[in-house]
Amino acid sequence: MRVAVFSTKPYDRSFLEAANGTHRHTLTFFEPRLTNETVALAQGFPAICVFVNDQLHRQVLVALAQSGTRLIALRCAGFNNVDLAAAQELQMTVVRVPAYSPYAVAEHTIALMLALNRKIHRAHGRVREGNFALEGLLGFDLHGRTVGIIGTGKIGEVVAKILTGFGCRLLAHDPFPNPAVVTLGAQYVALPELLSNSDLVTLHCPLLPKTHHLINETTLQHLKPGAMLINTSRGALIDTSAVIRALKSGRIGYLGLDVYEEETDMFFEDLSNRMLQDDVFARLLTFPNVIITGHQAFFTHEALMSIAETTLSNISDFEQGRVCANVVTSAWVKK
Ligand code: NAD
């Protein structure tokens, strides 16, 4: 099948080309993100392949449908950037990669927790400057601490498993409790109870209309003072301005982010020679107890191999009229 691949980085190209040996699709790689301005590049391609920050709102989908696109292959798990109702109306099929390596994201989550707690980012800078003083670097034992996991699907379950090894007590919140997480000893509780009893809180639920700004001014009132908040899921799960106020007051003691609600125009690009335009993001960077990574939690060798293979298999299933288990429908957004 002829596929226009948007938001291509060199690593996307090499993993997709390696996996394409068995599928033999005709892949055309485009560096730009898919937007209103770049949608013309997809002219005449029956399939497009996109990533987390490509824009698939109604206007773009209409333009795609008019120029012959019938399949949207997401090379990610999240689908919050696609207007699924519009895609359905336009009779376009949307497929995704529901699971590639939950370990990649879970392990990055733990990396943020450990780095924030033991202040590795600050220690690294100090030692390089010959400053071996320990003042300001005091951490705590993770052993015996309570961690609240919001969203206990594939990634949340791996996080729970790893934290069990550290000797943490686990609280969980999810409308669909996961028996494997219960077996690990986690106790499912309501969100306010999880927030007020956890020393660390980590987000692993999808971004849906009802999870938008799940962490906001009101829910933050429940947070245990000085707790650690980690978000490796989707930026808009938290209201960043409310979180900044909570950092200033000390309500949040540590913040680890791999995602940011306004990341679309920044992440995945080298902007080091440009002026940062986002003042909210700039404020976040001033806190000594904040670590931000640029949506790299998924970025492991194993995950990229798996993403490439599943994406191309999804396209092959569509081309050959086979039932594809990875189709996303608009009904999911109402869940
Ligand atoms: P999953 O579908 O296996 O699990 C998501 C869980 O969230 C489900 O159990 C669901 O019931 C639960 N959930 C839904 N609404 C909720 C709510 N209101 N409160 C609490 N829980 C709720 O998904 P997954 O594979 O574990 O991925 C989780 C999220 O991680 C994805 O949606 C995606 O946004 C994010 N992600 C980030 C990266 C990255 O690189 N940073 C990579 C992959 C996935």
Side-chain angles (χ1 to χ4, degrees), residues 71-283:
L71 177 69
I72 295 163
L74 296 162
R75 51 181 195 278
C76 53
F79 45 84
N80 51 284
N81 53 335
V82 188
D83 183 337
L84 290 174
Q88 198 163 319
E89 271 169 49
L90 294 161
Q91 299 186 325
M92 299 170 103
T93 301
V94 181
V95 289
R96 66 170 185 146
V97 182
Y100 35 95
S101 168
Y103 308 103
V105 183
E107 289 170 13
H108 192 78
T109 302
I110 305 297
L112 288 173
M113 287 178 181
L114 292 173
L116 278 165
N117 172 23
R118 306 306 294 266
K119 302 168 178 66
I120 301 297
H121 53 309
R122 302 184 68 195
H124 178 70
R126 279 192 195 184
V127 169
R128 285 172 71 94
E129 290 187 0
N131 175 358
F132 304 102
L134 299 183
E135 276 84 1
L137 300 183
L138 192 65
F140 57 83
D141 285 4
L142 263 180
H143 180 91
R145 295 283 169 157
T146 301
V147 183
I149 304 174
I150 301 176
T152 51
K154 291 175 285 297
I155 295 170
E157 180 183 327
V158 177
V159 168
K161 234 179 242 168
I162 297 172
L163 290 172
T164 309
F166 278 101
C168 295
R169 175 179 169 243
L170 302 179
L171 294 178
H173 175 71
D174 192 310
F176 302 97
N178 176 343
V181 173
V182 174
T183 305
L184 288 169
Q187 188 189 349
Y188 278 88
V189 293
L191 186 61
E193 195 180 337
L194 179 144
L195 294 173
S196 55
N197 288 295
S198 299
D199 301 297
L200 302 89
V201 173
T202 183
L203 300 172
H204 301 290
C205 56
L207 177 61
L208 301 168
K210 72 173 169 198
T211 58
H212 183 264
H213 286 185
L214 184 79
I215 301 297
N216 57 42
E217 197 79 53
T218 310
T219 50
L220 280 168
Q221 300 302 318
H222 297 285
L223 192 72
K224 193 169 180 177
M228 183 186 293
L229 177 65
I230 305 285
N231 186 8
T232 58
S233 199
R234 283 291 180 270
L237 291 176
I238 67 175
D239 174 349
T240 314
S241 299
V243 158
I244 287 175
R245 286 191 287 279
L247 279 163
K248 285 166 77 177
S249 72
R251 169 71 65 171
I252 294 179
Y254 313 77
L255 177 69
L257 300 179
D258 186 52
V259 287
Y260 171 58
E261 53 183 331
E262 301 299 333
E263 71 180 49
T264 312
D265 292 328
M266 287 191 290
F267 283 12
F268 308 121
E269 303 302 329
D270 178 0
L271 305 178
S272 53
N273 286 321
R274 301 211 205 145
M275 294 304 125
L276 180 56
Q277 297 298 321
D278 185 326
D279 293 347
V280 175
F281 191 77
R283 181 69 179 98

Side-chain angles (χ1 to χ4, degrees), residues 307-326:
I307 288 171
E309 176 51 37
T310 306
T311 300
L312 297 174
S313 295
N314 287 343
I315 296 170
S316 298
D317 284 347
F318 178 83
E319 184 180 36
Q320 289 159 29
R322 290 193 294 260
V323 176
C324 175
N326 299 329

